[in-house]
Amino acid sequence: MPRLSLWKNGQHTNDYRYFDKLISEQFTLGGTGVLLHKYLGPINQSNTYTTTTTVSSGNTLFLSNVASLEVGQTVNGAGINANTVIFSTNVSANSITLTSNVTSTVSSGQSLNIFWKDASKPNYLNQSATNIQDLLFLENRDRKYDSSVYTLRGIYTVNDNDFNLSQFGIFMSADTIYMTFHLTDTVAYLGRKIISGDVVELQHKKDYYPLNNDIPNILKRYYVVEEVTFAADGFSQTWWPHLSRVKLNPLVDSQEYKDILNQISNQTLNGNSTPFSDYLSTLDKFLEINDAIIEQAEIDVVKSGTNVDELYVLPLNPDGSPGDPTGIQANNMNLRVNSTRNFAAVAATTPDTNIPAYLGGDGAAPNGWPVGVGTSFPTNPEIGDYFLRTDYVPNRLFRYDGVRWIKIEDSVRTNLTPGPNNKTQRSIFVNNTDTYVDDSGQTLPSRQSLSKALTPKADS
Amino acid sequence: MQLQQFFYDQQIRRYIIQFIRMISNFQVQFGKDRNGIIALQRVPVIYGDSSRQVASVIQQNSESTLNSTPCMAVYISDLSYDRERVQNPTYVGKLNVRERYFNPATGNYSTTQGDVLTVERLMPVPYKLTLKLDIWTSNTEQKLQIIEQISTLFNPALEIQSTDNYIDWTSITYVLLTQTNWSSRTIPVGSGIDIDIATLTFELPIFISAPALVKKLGVIQKIIANVFDANGNLDDAIYNDANLLSKQYITPLQYGVILLDNQLRLVASNQSVDDKFGTQIVKELAGNISANTTVYLTDADGIKPAMTVSNLSITSITSNTIQPVSNCAVISVSGDTVITSNVITGNIGDKIVFTDFTRKNGADEPWRNIVNIYGNLVNGSSTVKLELEDETLIVGTVAYSPIDDTVLLWSPDIDSLPTNTLPPINAIIDPVTSRPNYSLQDLAVGTRYLLVNDYVLDSNVVPYYNWTGIDDTPLEAYKNDIIEFTGQHWAVVFDSRNEIVAQYVTNLTTGIQYKWDATKWTKSYEGYYPAGKWQLII
């Protein structure tokens, strides 16, 4: 009779399987329901294009639109050599020329991956949880999750937690959960163990009573898996582990989990068109707060510099003497104080200067007089007319004195909120949507990163 | 115990608001999602030192709410007095500014001048405000995206302003990036789950200001121009009245004013003024009239168009029932029939008075057109000062007339007006052309007239009108005398030939006060004031 032993040379025995089934049954009996979003790996970041013509030889491929493609981008797909890049593009023919001929027929409708090759950010052809998106920072930022949701049973000890007040809101101070799962059940359901990056929803922690009664549904509780180990109390007499100890931390609304949150946000509940994830995250509320602060900031400071529009500028006559404060036109030289004309019916003198102030020019005429706007001066101006030349950068305000158009000011005041309306020097480098057409007919953006600006094209 | 007046201008708050604006609207780029779409997510910026209660509200009072990242938070780290930037603490900067007129009806600024103000600003107190910007990101790439965008803002500093007010000399300062703390975590991280926060520290040299003193500059109606005399002597030029070359009155637009019945009207420089003394011509109605503009008189001698029509102020006789509407004037005269501008009601025998008031020739001009050039007239608060011949000033508050925009209603300060020294007179008449007991009024004790002509009985000349009393006492009076009916005869009660003391008397018929200056009667303050003799203080 052999000696009794529950350890069988590293083999799973029926004892093990017996224990395993019993333990699994305990999870079914006493475990809490967990919905798991399975991490599938980083999302492929290359652009996918479809060919429009079958090509059996040569190095020219036809696509539906090549306008956004650039010379030097890597092309990957069936029938194409490794390290093949775009040699040239033909926008009118919607075709690209490759640096090498196709190795086999590329059929019409076939998908191609075209991307800027970055060795530190490899382009994977397969979808796998083993892929690493960024080999430099060792991050998987854009994660793909299974569209199916897996139901599991887990057991953990519920703890009391307090909120920590931080600069970004309140956080649960020690809301780390160590939950145990039945190891072989999770493998059977998921096809693998639970791994870091999987997201679980604890169904029993749904909050049915959010502060805002308008929220159309309950607030669900999500955690993300930080790490997975064998639970110490999950080893049976056979010395084989039966349980996974999973460390769970509260989920945050971040880039990594947008694939899950976006799926939730696509749901419209009870006819309410607001995405549910908008209620679940603090993002929208923070943006509302930020918008309100910006709105007030724009009230406090409408434009940069100094506002002199509400101040009155005493007019001057062409000879430099003080003008008539009633505002008689400078060219009405026959008007005197003994004129029988009603002063109220006479147009006013236009000042030939504005109040000197730091960044005070905004293109508006002193005292609010009308301003003509254009890229060339009017042909028959009256003395005292103002004109804003928009072909000057910054725009320049002139006044006609009967002989010359004299500069009054440059329009340098600008909105200070970062954005397209901000015309500060730095902003016009950043908020620039201009384009230019090069000799080959390609339309290129005027704003280019300095590292890529005027990058040499491949020689023929 | 009286407390100090409260003031709070949200100065530091406005800097924080502008700082948050400065770093707002930045975005991070996510990678492609499952649909191949690249998302840009705006990074919200909030104030980092929130109250726990509001944080709980934002969190929906629920543990399930997800904190969002990336996110930026700004908070005050330090506020300290900046000794290095201290300047003369008692310095007061003065600034004289003219505002454009703000039309409350349209809600817009007009092209004319509004208030003219002096602003006094006390030296502000220098402080150094330290702000920290915490950047919470979920990965390094995200952090680099934010840092790269923000870092180009500060080279080494970026201007910030709390207001664009021209008056605020402290509004513009700069934000200096002084320190960057890459991460709140340590390497190796260990088993902790701390979130990763980068911290940028900024310093803002700001000023905190006391309230400004804003005063009305007023309107300079008299300008002492050419303050130096021919020898370059400043004092003589200013203070020597005899040096006429050194002083000149300048009235903008050379407008004069006419004050009548506490109403001011403008007189343009091209308008002629007929400054009548105010002699009354008293006539008698030849028939009853009821609310009619056609008036029949016993005779219309001396009546001219534009004369003002009124009743005669009678001291004791109540039979006079004539009731002209105010501002009634003669339109035309034909025979003994007078056409008036307003309706008149009266009975036959009533005395009706025609007076030549001071008037101008030409159209009336709205006051607002002139006043708006210099600022805004505040009804009941703005004042008009009128300079009398002896250079004393009388003052009254003014208000736009609600029914006539060519009129300023003038409410005199009675302390500035001369007081009567003589009992009032009933009218100013010419004894040669006025007929007692007929064209004047029924005899009544105490009736007083100021004469504009001599009345001297000459035995060789039979007077046209007989002023001899009931007791046959003859009247002998001279121009500028005041006579009074005693019950028996007319007696001179003011002997102008022997009166050398200044006297004041009011004509009850017109309400105009007159002044005796030892040689002649003049209107004491009503009448015409040419340019330079009146001031509008708005």
Side-chain angles (χ1 to χ4, degrees):
Chain A
M1 179 180 177
R3 286 181 295 177
L4 288 175
S5 173
L6 291 175
W7 177 253
K8 286 291 186 183
N9 298 323
Q11 296 177 356
H12 291 116
T13 62
N14 286 335
D15 294 326
Y16 162 79
R17 282 184 276 277
Y18 172 70
F19 287 136
D20 203 51
K21 286 182 180 175
L22 284 178
I23 295 169
S24 173
E25 190 63 21
Q26 293 303 314
F27 272 80
T28 304
L29 287 171
T32 183
V34 172
L35 300 178
L36 187 138
H37 297 266
K38 181 184 176 184
Y39 172 62
L40 299 179
I43 299 172
N44 187 351
Q45 295 298 301
S46 65
N47 293 311
T48 303
Y49 294 85
T50 305
T51 59
T52 56
T53 306
T54 299
V55 174
S56 56
S57 62
N59 62 350
T60 301
L61 298 178
F62 295 89
L63 307 174
S64 57
N65 188 353
V66 301
S68 60
L69 298 180
E70 295 180 48
V71 171
Q73 285 187 297
T74 299
V75 181
N76 199 333
I80 297 176
N81 268 327
N83 298 322
T84 298
V85 298
I86 298 175
F87 175 74
S88 65
T89 63
N90 187 334
V91 177
S92 57
N94 270 332
S95 65
I96 57 174
T97 305
L98 307 179
T99 53
S100 62
N101 293 333
V102 297
T103 56
S104 61
T105 299
V106 176
S107 305
S108 174
Q110 180 180 325
S111 294
L112 299 176
N113 289 327
I114 302 177
F115 52 93
W116 279 107
K117 187 173 182 179
D118 184 340
S120 65
K121 291 185 277 188
N123 180 55
Y124 299 100
L125 295 179
N126 62 328
Q127 181 69 55
S128 170
T130 61
N131 294 340
I132 299 174
Q133 182 181 4
D134 190 331
L135 296 176
L136 175 64
F137 295 136
L138 300 175
E139 294 173 339
N140 289 326
R141 295 182 292 270
D142 303 295
R143 303 177 185 178
K144 187 171 187 178
Y145 286 87
D146 198 335
S147 54
S148 300
V149 179
Y150 297 83
T151 57
L152 300 173
R153 293 294 175 96
I155 296 174
Y156 75 106
T157 302
V158 180
N159 295 318
D160 289 326
N161 289 309
D162 294 327
F163 277 112
N164 259 348
L165 179 60
S166 80
Q167 60 272 55
F168 302 107
I170 50 176
F171 291 76
M172 296 297 289
S173 61
D175 194 19
T176 299
I177 291 175
Y178 295 94
M179 180 175 278
T180 52
F181 290 90
H182 189 252
L183 178 60
T184 54
D185 281 354
T186 56
V187 173
Y189 293 155
L190 300 178
R192 59 163 171 75
K193 283 201 306 182
I194 295 174
I195 64 171
S196 176
D198 285 340
V199 172
V200 299
E201 176 194 341
L202 297 193
Q203 292 176 292
H204 76 106
K205 280 198 168 181
K206 290 174 184 171
D207 191 344
Y208 289 86
Y209 311 106
L211 187 61
N212 185 358
N213 291 328
D214 296 333
I215 293 179
N217 210 329
I218 52 179
L219 297 181
K220 298 169 183 173
R221 189 73 176 277
Y222 290 95
Y223 289 85
V224 60
V225 176
E226 288 293 325
E227 56 194 43
V228 181
T229 58
F230 292 127
D233 52 357
F235 289 86
S236 66
Q237 290 83 343
T238 65
W239 288 94
W240 290 107
H242 297 272
L243 303 179
S244 290
R245 179 179 180 269
V246 177
K247 184 179 180 182
L248 300 172
N249 282 317
L251 190 74
V252 293
D253 176 15
S254 70
Q255 176 182 359
E256 286 78 0
Y257 311 110
K258 287 295 182 186
D259 195 42
I260 298 173
L261 298 172
N262 285 346
Q263 290 183 51
I264 298 174
S265 69
N266 288 333
Q267 303 171 3
T268 54
L269 302 166
N270 303 331
N272 188 323
S273 60
T274 306
F276 182 62
S277 62
D278 288 359
Y279 295 114
L280 203 58
S281 167
T282 57
L283 175 62
D284 279 13
K285 192 64 185 175
F286 280 174
L287 289 175
E288 282 178 25
I289 292 169
N290 198 180
D291 285 342
I293 294 171
I294 293 173
E295 183 180 347
Q296 181 56 42
E298 291 182 337
I299 292 172
D300 287 344
V301 181
V302 180
K303 288 183 177 179
S304 63
T306 309
N307 178 19
V308 296
D309 289 348
E310 293 149 11
L311 301 180
Y312 183 77
V313 185
L314 283 177
L316 290 175
N317 292 328
D319 61 359
S321 59
D324 195 319
T326 59
I328 301 172
Q329 285 280 14
N331 57 344
N332 289 329
M333 300 306 291
N334 57 338
L335 282 179
R336 294 290 185 272
V337 291
N338 58 354
S339 168
T340 57
R341 295 184 64 176
N342 187 339
F343 289 113
V346 179
T349 305
T350 61
D352 66 352
T353 184
N354 208 344
I355 293 176
Y358 176 67
L359 293 178
D362 59 359
N367 299 346
W369 286 108
V371 179
V373 179
T375 56
S376 60
F377 290 118
T379 51
N380 295 309
E382 296 282 336
I383 294 176
D385 280 357
Y386 292 106
F387 199 83
L388 183 68
R389 286 286 295 266
T390 54
D391 52 337
Y392 282 67
V393 180
N395 297 342
R396 180 164 292 179
L397 180 69
F398 292 89
R399 178 184 180 274
Y400 188 66
D401 73 345
V403 179
R404 298 173 300 162
W405 284 96
I406 297 179
K407 173 191 169 187
I408 300 295
E409 66 183 23
D410 285 338
S411 177
V412 292
R413 298 191 65 203
T414 178
N415 183 296
L416 283 174
T417 304
N421 295 328
N422 184 322
K423 300 300 180 187
T424 57
Q425 186 186 37
R426 174 195 168 277
S427 181
I428 60 177
F429 278 83
V430 175
N431 298 294
N432 174 17
T433 56
D434 294 344
T435 57
Y436 72 95
V437 179
D438 67 5
D439 290 343
S440 65
Q442 273 196 321
T443 301
L444 299 171
S446 172
R447 193 191 83 158
Q448 298 184 17
S449 298
L450 204 55
S451 64
K452 293 186 174 62
L454 309 182
T455 304
K457 305 295 185 293
D459 292 330
S460 56
Chain B
M1 181 177 69
Q2 284 195 322
L3 302 178
Q4 177 173 251
Q5 284 188 21
F6 173 78
F7 93 92
Y8 173 55
D9 191 28
Q10 308 184 89
Q11 297 178 57
I12 297 176
R13 180 188 177 97
R14 281 187 279 114
Y15 278 114
I16 296 171
I17 285 177
Q18 292 301 327
F19 183 82
I20 290 178
R21 175 195 198 180
M22 178 184 290
I23 53 171
S24 292
N25 287 356
F26 287 97
Q27 302 177 92
V28 292
Q29 187 183 60
F30 296 162
K32 286 188 172 66
D33 65 10
R34 62 171 58 222
N35 299 316
I37 297 172
I38 294 176
L40 290 170
Q41 179 167 306
R42 182 177 153 204
V43 184
V45 187
I46 59 172
Y47 186 67
D49 190 14
S50 70
S51 72
R52 182 177 289 272
Q53 196 265 344
V54 169
S56 177
V57 170
I58 293 173
Q59 207 81 4
Q60 292 295 335
N61 194 33
S62 173
E63 302 167 46
S64 297
T65 302
L66 306 181
N67 293 96
S68 174
T69 178
C71 184
M72 294 194 279
V74 176
Y75 54 94
I76 296 177
S77 168
D78 187 35
L79 179 67
S80 57
Y81 183 78
D82 197 347
R83 188 69 178 83
E84 294 178 354
R85 288 165 47 230
V86 68
Q87 298 176 69
N88 179 3
T90 60
Y91 175 76
V92 175
K94 292 187 178 180
L95 190 64
N96 299 321
V97 293
R98 301 164 184 267
E99 288 185 305
R100 285 167 59 195
Y101 173 66
F102 182 77
N103 189 338
T106 63
N108 295 320
Y109 283 92
S110 75
T111 56
T112 57
Q113 181 175 296
D115 289 328
V116 184
L117 303 166
T118 298
V119 182
E120 295 184 8
R121 302 161 297 182
L122 183 62
M123 174 61 72
V125 184
Y127 274 87
K128 188 165 66 180
L129 176 66
T130 305
L131 297 178
K132 289 204 170 186
L133 171 65
D134 282 355
I135 305 170
W136 174 27
T137 52
S138 62
N139 55 65
T140 306
E141 180 73 12
Q142 213 171 69
K143 183 190 289 188
L144 290 175
Q145 289 181 13
I146 296 174
I147 294 291
E148 183 169 313
Q149 293 179 83
I150 290 181
S151 59
T152 59
L153 283 174
F154 306 97
N155 188 18
L158 184 66
E159 279 191 355
I160 190 172
Q161 53 187 112
S162 60
T163 171
D164 61 358
N165 194 330
Y166 177 75
I167 307 298
D168 190 349
W169 57 2
T170 68
S171 65
I172 298 179
T173 181
Y174 59 90
V175 178
L176 182 65
L177 175 61
T178 58
Q179 189 178 354
T180 302
N181 183 26
W182 180 250
S183 176
S184 58
R185 298 195 297 199
T186 56
I187 308 295
V189 175
S191 61
I193 56 165
D194 295 338
I195 59 177
D196 181 23
I197 299 172
T199 301
L200 307 182
T201 305
F202 299 92
E203 283 184 4
L204 289 77
I206 65 170
F207 287 97
I208 299 178
S209 302
L213 294 180
V214 180
K215 303 172 181 176
K216 273 211 158 182
L217 190 62
V219 171
I220 301 172
Q221 198 78 355
K222 291 180 179 179
I223 301 172
I224 300 173
N226 188 14
V227 294
F228 296 97
D229 65 7
N231 299 321
N233 191 322
L234 178 63
D235 289 347
D236 283 353
I238 293 178
Y239 298 114
N240 185 0
D241 285 340
N243 188 354
L244 298 178
L245 288 177
S246 67
K247 183 185 289 188
Q248 54 183 301
Y249 293 120
I250 297 175
T251 301
L253 311 182
Q254 298 299 310
Y255 273 96
V257 292
I258 289 177
L259 173 67
L260 282 177
D261 198 18
N262 289 341
Q263 295 185 350
L264 286 164
R265 294 176 189 275
L266 285 167
V267 180
S269 59
N270 62 323
Q271 292 174 327
S272 60
V273 176
D274 193 7
D275 196 8
K276 294 291 188 182
F277 179 67
T279 305
Q280 276 90 51
I281 298 176
V282 184
K283 299 295 182 183
E284 187 174 304
L285 292 182
N288 295 339
I289 57 172
S290 176
N292 205 321
T293 57
T294 303
V295 180
Y296 300 102
L297 304 176
T298 53
D299 74 86
D301 295 344
I303 310 299
K304 295 177 292 186
M307 280 182 141
T308 299
V309 183
S310 65
N311 61 348
L312 184 65
S313 180
I314 299 171
T315 53
S316 62
I317 296 176
T318 57
S319 61
N320 199 22
T321 57
I322 189 166
Q323 296 172 352
V325 174
S326 60
N327 298 321
C328 183
V330 174
I331 301 298
S332 63
V333 180
S334 175
D336 293 336
T337 303
V338 173
I339 306 300
T340 59
S341 60
N342 292 334
V343 294
I344 292 174
T345 298
N347 295 326
I348 185 170
D350 284 347
K351 301 299 187 295
I352 185 168
V353 181
F354 298 87
T355 308
D356 243 354
F357 277 107
T358 301
R359 66 184 65 256
K360 62 173 178 176
N361 297 311
D364 290 333
E365 295 199 37
W367 273 94
R368 288 182 194 275
N369 291 352
I370 308 305
V371 174
N372 288 349
I373 297 169
Y374 304 103
N376 298 321
L377 185 146
V378 181
N379 285 342
S381 176
S382 299
T383 58
V384 165
K385 292 183 179 180
L386 304 168
E387 183 178 318
L388 305 179
E389 283 193 349
D390 59 2
E391 296 191 347
T392 58
L393 293 174
I394 56 172
V395 187
T397 59
V398 289
Y400 286 119
S401 167
I403 55 174
D404 186 353
D405 61 358
T406 66
V407 167
L408 271 189
L409 304 177
W410 189 73
S411 302
D413 176 359
I414 56 172
D415 291 337
S416 68
L417 296 181
T419 54
N420 285 331
T421 56
L422 298 174
I425 57 174
N426 296 81
I428 301 171
I429 61 167
D430 183 348
V432 178
T433 60
S434 297
R435 181 181 178 186
N437 300 327
Y438 180 68
S439 62
L440 293 179
Q441 63 180 66
D442 294 341
L443 289 177
V445 175
T447 301
R448 295 158 62 89
Y449 294 124
L450 191 156
L451 306 183
V452 296
N453 250 329
D454 296 343
Y455 185 87
V456 182
L457 286 177
D458 187 335
S459 57
N460 298 322
V461 179
V462 178
Y464 187 72
Y465 296 123
N466 188 358
W467 286 78
T468 303
I470 301 169
D471 58 358
D472 290 334
T473 302
L475 172 66
E476 180 173 342
Y478 296 87
K479 179 181 178 181
N480 296 328
D481 283 358
I482 295 176
I483 60 173
E484 180 178 327
F485 187 67
T486 64
Q488 293 297 314
H489 60 265
W490 293 93
V492 174
V493 292
F494 178 83
D495 184 358
S496 59
R497 292 177 300 170
N498 297 312
E499 183 61 64
I500 59 172
V501 178
Q503 304 286 357
Y504 293 90
V505 68
T506 295
N507 182 352
L508 293 175
T509 298
T510 60
I512 296 175
Q513 188 188 53
Y514 291 84
K515 178 188 177 184
W516 172 250
D517 63 359
T519 59
K520 65 180 183 302
W521 287 100
T522 57
K523 281 178 281 193
S524 70
Y525 67 90
E526 290 202 77
Y528 174 59
Y529 290 85
K533 294 295 183 182
W534 62 282
Q535 303 171 33
L536 171 63
I537 300 157
I538 54 179

